Amino acid sequence: MTRPEVTLITPSLPGRERMLAEVVQSVKAQTVPCEHLWQIDHDRLGPAPVRNKLLDQVDTELVGFVDDDDLLDAGHLELCVDALRESGDCVAYPWFRFNHPRGWWPLGEFLQIQRPDGSKVHAFGQPFDPAALEHNSYIPVTVVARTECLRKVGGFPIPESAEWPHDTAEEWGLWRRLVADGHAFVHVPAVTWTYRVHGGNTSGRRAA
C-alpha cells in the first residue's frame, strides 16, 4: 500500500459528532492516500492549540487542515498536492462554496482582497498577494502545506496572546508568520470544498 504523503488535521467540539463523522467520510473519499488526525476539544482550549498539538504528531511531508464544519470534495487533496509539486511553494489554497440555510453568507468582505491602495477585488482566481495579506485575511484555514514550513515558524499563534491579541483568525496569524519567514503561497483556482454555515462558525469573526 502506498504510504500517505499528506495528513489532515481536524479540531472539533463536543456536540458536533455528526458533522465530524461527515468530515471523516469526506477525507476517506480523497483520491490520494492520506492520514487523518482529529481531536474533540473537551477542555475548550480553542482550535489553535489543538491544531498545534496534532501538528506535532504529523510524520508526512505535507499537512492539511479541514474543520469539522467543512466538507472536502474528493479531488481536494490531489489538486492541492499537484499545485505544491509544480510550484515548490509552501502553501496551496483552493476555493470554496457556501452551504447556508438561506443560500448566502452575509460576510461578503471575506471573499475579497483589499489591496494596499484600498481597492478591493474578488479573491477567487487572483494570484497570491502577500502585501494584501497585511490588510485582511482572505485565505481560509482549509489549505495544504509543507509540514516543516509550519513547524519552522511555530505553527498557529494562540489567540489573545501577546503576539496575536485577537480572539480568532489564528490562521491569519500563521499566514503572516510564513510570509515574514520568506515562504510563498500558490492559489488553486478551483472550488474543492464546502463551508457549512450553521451559527457556530468562528471564521469571519473579524476581530483582527
mmCIF file of all heavy atoms in Angstrom, residues 5 8 25 32 51 54 58 69 83 112 121 126 132 141 144 146 160 177 199 205 207:
data_model
loop_
_atom_site.group_PDB
_atom_site.id
_atom_site.type_symbol
_atom_site.label_atom_id
_atom_site.label_comp_id
_atom_site.label_asym_id
_atom_site.label_seq_id
_atom_site.Cartn_x
_atom_site.Cartn_y
_atom_site.Cartn_z
ATOM 1 N N GLU A 5 1.369 10.771 1.814
ATOM 2 C CA GLU A 5 2.284 11.899 1.938
ATOM 3 C C GLU A 5 1.596 13.112 2.549
ATOM 4 O O GLU A 5 2.211 14.145 2.749
ATOM 5 C CB GLU A 5 2.874 12.271 0.581
ATOM 6 C CG GLU A 5 1.868 12.718 -0.466
ATOM 7 C CD GLU A 5 2.530 13.139 -1.764
ATOM 8 O OE1 GLU A 5 3.559 13.835 -1.710
ATOM 9 O OE2 GLU A 5 2.018 12.744 -2.832
ATOM 10 N N LEU A 8 -4.228 15.085 7.267
ATOM 11 C CA LEU A 8 -5.226 16.117 7.500
ATOM 12 C C LEU A 8 -5.513 16.226 9.002
ATOM 13 O O LEU A 8 -5.550 15.220 9.711
ATOM 14 C CB LEU A 8 -6.517 15.811 6.746
ATOM 15 C CG LEU A 8 -6.460 16.094 5.236
ATOM 16 C CD1 LEU A 8 -7.660 15.483 4.534
ATOM 17 C CD2 LEU A 8 -6.389 17.584 4.963
ATOM 18 N N GLN A 25 -15.795 11.068 6.592
ATOM 19 C CA GLN A 25 -16.164 10.394 5.346
ATOM 20 C C GLN A 25 -15.618 11.137 4.133
ATOM 21 O O GLN A 25 -15.175 10.519 3.157
ATOM 22 C CB GLN A 25 -17.685 10.251 5.255
ATOM 23 C CG GLN A 25 -18.269 9.249 6.236
ATOM 24 C CD GLN A 25 -17.634 7.871 6.103
ATOM 25 O OE1 GLN A 25 -17.537 7.308 4.999
ATOM 26 N NE2 GLN A 25 -17.201 7.316 7.232
ATOM 27 N N VAL A 32 -6.242 10.709 -3.240
ATOM 28 C CA VAL A 32 -4.850 10.383 -2.906
ATOM 29 C C VAL A 32 -4.831 9.868 -1.468
ATOM 30 O O VAL A 32 -5.642 10.288 -0.638
ATOM 31 C CB VAL A 32 -3.909 11.605 -3.055
ATOM 32 C CG1 VAL A 32 -3.865 12.060 -4.496
ATOM 33 C CG2 VAL A 32 -4.343 12.745 -2.153
ATOM 34 N N ARG A 51 -4.826 22.250 16.919
ATOM 35 C CA ARG A 51 -4.105 22.047 15.649
ATOM 36 C C ARG A 51 -2.604 21.907 15.895
ATOM 37 O O ARG A 51 -1.931 21.066 15.274
ATOM 38 C CB ARG A 51 -4.368 23.212 14.696
ATOM 39 C CG ARG A 51 -5.780 23.284 14.157
ATOM 40 C CD ARG A 51 -5.875 24.351 13.075
ATOM 41 N NE ARG A 51 -7.252 24.635 12.707
ATOM 42 C CZ ARG A 51 -7.869 25.784 12.954
ATOM 43 N NH1 ARG A 51 -7.232 26.769 13.568
ATOM 44 N NH2 ARG A 51 -9.119 25.967 12.573
ATOM 45 N N LEU A 54 -1.781 18.453 17.286
ATOM 46 C CA LEU A 54 -1.860 17.428 16.247
ATOM 47 C C LEU A 54 -0.743 17.593 15.226
ATOM 48 O O LEU A 54 -0.215 16.596 14.694
ATOM 49 C CB LEU A 54 -3.228 17.465 15.569
ATOM 50 C CG LEU A 54 -4.421 17.125 16.481
ATOM 51 C CD1 LEU A 54 -5.735 17.266 15.710
ATOM 52 C CD2 LEU A 54 -4.292 15.711 17.032
ATOM 53 N N VAL A 58 2.343 14.817 13.247
ATOM 54 C CA VAL A 58 2.368 14.542 11.808
ATOM 55 C C VAL A 58 3.735 14.005 11.400
ATOM 56 O O VAL A 58 4.773 14.563 11.765
ATOM 57 C CB VAL A 58 2.031 15.824 11.017
ATOM 58 C CG1 VAL A 58 2.254 15.611 9.525
ATOM 59 C CG2 VAL A 58 0.595 16.250 11.293
ATOM 60 N N ASP A 69 -16.736 21.730 10.391
ATOM 61 C CA ASP A 69 -17.888 22.254 9.657
ATOM 62 C C ASP A 69 -17.591 22.444 8.173
ATOM 63 O O ASP A 69 -18.333 23.124 7.470
ATOM 64 C CB ASP A 69 -18.412 23.558 10.271
ATOM 65 C CG ASP A 69 -17.307 24.547 10.596
ATOM 66 O OD1 ASP A 69 -16.171 24.355 10.114
ATOM 67 O OD2 ASP A 69 -17.583 25.518 11.322
ATOM 68 N N ALA A 83 -0.464 21.229 -7.062
ATOM 69 C CA ALA A 83 -0.056 22.637 -7.094
ATOM 70 C C ALA A 83 1.237 22.852 -6.326
ATOM 71 O O ALA A 83 2.111 23.618 -6.760
ATOM 72 C CB ALA A 83 -1.164 23.512 -6.524
ATOM 73 N N GLN A 112 -12.968 38.989 -0.469
ATOM 74 C CA GLN A 112 -12.251 39.982 -1.256
ATOM 75 C C GLN A 112 -10.844 40.219 -0.733
ATOM 76 O O GLN A 112 -10.562 40.039 0.444
ATOM 77 C CB GLN A 112 -13.018 41.306 -1.242
ATOM 78 C CG GLN A 112 -14.387 41.221 -1.898
ATOM 79 C CD GLN A 112 -15.117 42.540 -1.835
ATOM 80 O OE1 GLN A 112 -14.934 43.328 -0.924
ATOM 81 N NE2 GLN A 112 -15.951 42.793 -2.840
ATOM 82 N N VAL A 121 -10.708 43.486 -4.712
ATOM 83 C CA VAL A 121 -11.059 42.603 -5.823
ATOM 84 C C VAL A 121 -11.474 41.266 -5.229
ATOM 85 O O VAL A 121 -11.076 40.907 -4.117
ATOM 86 C CB VAL A 121 -9.883 42.400 -6.805
ATOM 87 C CG1 VAL A 121 -9.543 43.691 -7.508
ATOM 88 C CG2 VAL A 121 -8.660 41.832 -6.097
ATOM 89 N N GLN A 126 -7.403 35.112 -8.075
ATOM 90 C CA GLN A 126 -6.326 36.097 -8.002
ATOM 91 C C GLN A 126 -5.038 35.426 -7.514
ATOM 92 O O GLN A 126 -5.070 34.600 -6.604
ATOM 93 C CB GLN A 126 -6.703 37.223 -7.032
ATOM 94 C CG GLN A 126 -7.917 38.013 -7.445
ATOM 95 C CD GLN A 126 -7.664 38.844 -8.694
ATOM 96 O OE1 GLN A 126 -6.550 39.292 -8.929
ATOM 97 N NE2 GLN A 126 -8.704 39.054 -9.471
ATOM 98 N N ALA A 132 -1.366 42.310 0.343
ATOM 99 C CA ALA A 132 -2.778 42.376 0.700
ATOM 100 C C ALA A 132 -3.061 41.608 1.983
ATOM 101 O O ALA A 132 -3.972 41.956 2.739
ATOM 102 C CB ALA A 132 -3.635 41.829 -0.438
ATOM 103 N N VAL A 141 -8.574 28.477 6.519
ATOM 104 C CA VAL A 141 -7.610 27.526 7.070
ATOM 105 C C VAL A 141 -7.528 26.237 6.262
ATOM 106 O O VAL A 141 -6.576 25.464 6.430
ATOM 107 C CB VAL A 141 -7.966 27.214 8.552
ATOM 108 C CG1 VAL A 141 -9.200 26.317 8.628
ATOM 109 C CG2 VAL A 141 -6.783 26.607 9.283
ATOM 110 N N VAL A 144 -3.389 23.071 2.126
ATOM 111 C CA VAL A 144 -2.384 22.006 2.248
ATOM 112 C C VAL A 144 -1.027 22.682 2.238
ATOM 113 O O VAL A 144 -0.788 23.586 1.426
ATOM 114 C CB VAL A 144 -2.503 20.978 1.109
ATOM 115 C CG1 VAL A 144 -1.410 19.913 1.230
ATOM 116 C CG2 VAL A 144 -3.882 20.313 1.125
ATOM 117 N N ARG A 146 3.469 22.471 3.442
ATOM 118 C CA ARG A 146 4.647 21.666 3.774
ATOM 119 C C ARG A 146 4.826 21.671 5.292
ATOM 120 O O ARG A 146 4.948 22.724 5.910
ATOM 121 C CB ARG A 146 5.876 22.214 3.058
ATOM 122 C CG ARG A 146 5.718 22.191 1.547
ATOM 123 C CD ARG A 146 6.983 22.588 0.800
ATOM 124 N NE ARG A 146 6.685 22.685 -0.619
ATOM 125 C CZ ARG A 146 6.646 21.656 -1.467
ATOM 126 N NH1 ARG A 146 6.916 20.429 -1.023
ATOM 127 N NH2 ARG A 146 6.353 21.835 -2.747
ATOM 128 N N GLU A 160 -5.504 35.891 21.629
ATOM 129 C CA GLU A 160 -5.456 36.640 22.878
ATOM 130 C C GLU A 160 -4.122 36.455 23.603
ATOM 131 O O GLU A 160 -4.041 36.559 24.822
ATOM 132 C CB GLU A 160 -6.649 36.269 23.779
ATOM 133 C CG GLU A 160 -7.983 36.569 23.107
ATOM 134 C CD GLU A 160 -9.179 36.271 23.988
ATOM 135 O OE1 GLU A 160 -9.161 35.233 24.661
ATOM 136 O OE2 GLU A 160 -10.116 37.084 23.989
ATOM 137 N N ARG A 177 3.078 34.806 9.726
ATOM 138 C CA ARG A 177 4.347 34.225 10.171
ATOM 139 C C ARG A 177 5.110 33.633 8.983
ATOM 140 O O ARG A 177 6.326 33.825 8.852
ATOM 141 C CB ARG A 177 4.089 33.107 11.188
ATOM 142 C CG ARG A 177 3.816 33.537 12.613
ATOM 143 C CD ARG A 177 3.613 32.315 13.506
ATOM 144 N NE ARG A 177 3.512 32.688 14.917
ATOM 145 C CZ ARG A 177 3.366 31.809 15.897
ATOM 146 N NH1 ARG A 177 3.274 30.506 15.620
ATOM 147 N NH2 ARG A 177 3.292 32.211 17.164
ATOM 148 N N GLY A 199 -24.183 28.711 12.360
ATOM 149 C CA GLY A 199 -24.433 29.531 13.534
ATOM 150 C C GLY A 199 -23.355 29.453 14.582
ATOM 151 O O GLY A 199 -23.265 30.326 15.453
ATOM 152 N N ARG A 205 -15.354 35.971 12.144
ATOM 153 C CA ARG A 205 -15.432 36.858 13.310
ATOM 154 C C ARG A 205 -14.196 37.721 13.281
ATOM 155 O O ARG A 205 -13.160 37.412 13.869
ATOM 156 C CB ARG A 205 -15.489 36.037 14.605
ATOM 157 C CG ARG A 205 -16.829 35.375 14.843
ATOM 158 C CD ARG A 205 -16.760 34.405 15.997
ATOM 159 N NE ARG A 205 -16.133 35.041 17.167
ATOM 160 C CZ ARG A 205 -15.509 34.341 18.120
ATOM 161 N NH1 ARG A 205 -15.379 33.043 18.028
ATOM 162 N NH2 ARG A 205 -14.985 34.977 19.158
ATOM 163 N N ALA A 207 -12.092 39.916 14.311
ATOM 164 C CA ALA A 207 -11.508 40.758 15.367
ATOM 165 C C ALA A 207 -10.203 41.354 14.906
ATOM 166 O O ALA A 207 -9.782 42.381 15.389
ATOM 167 C CB ALA A 207 -11.282 39.913 16.632
#
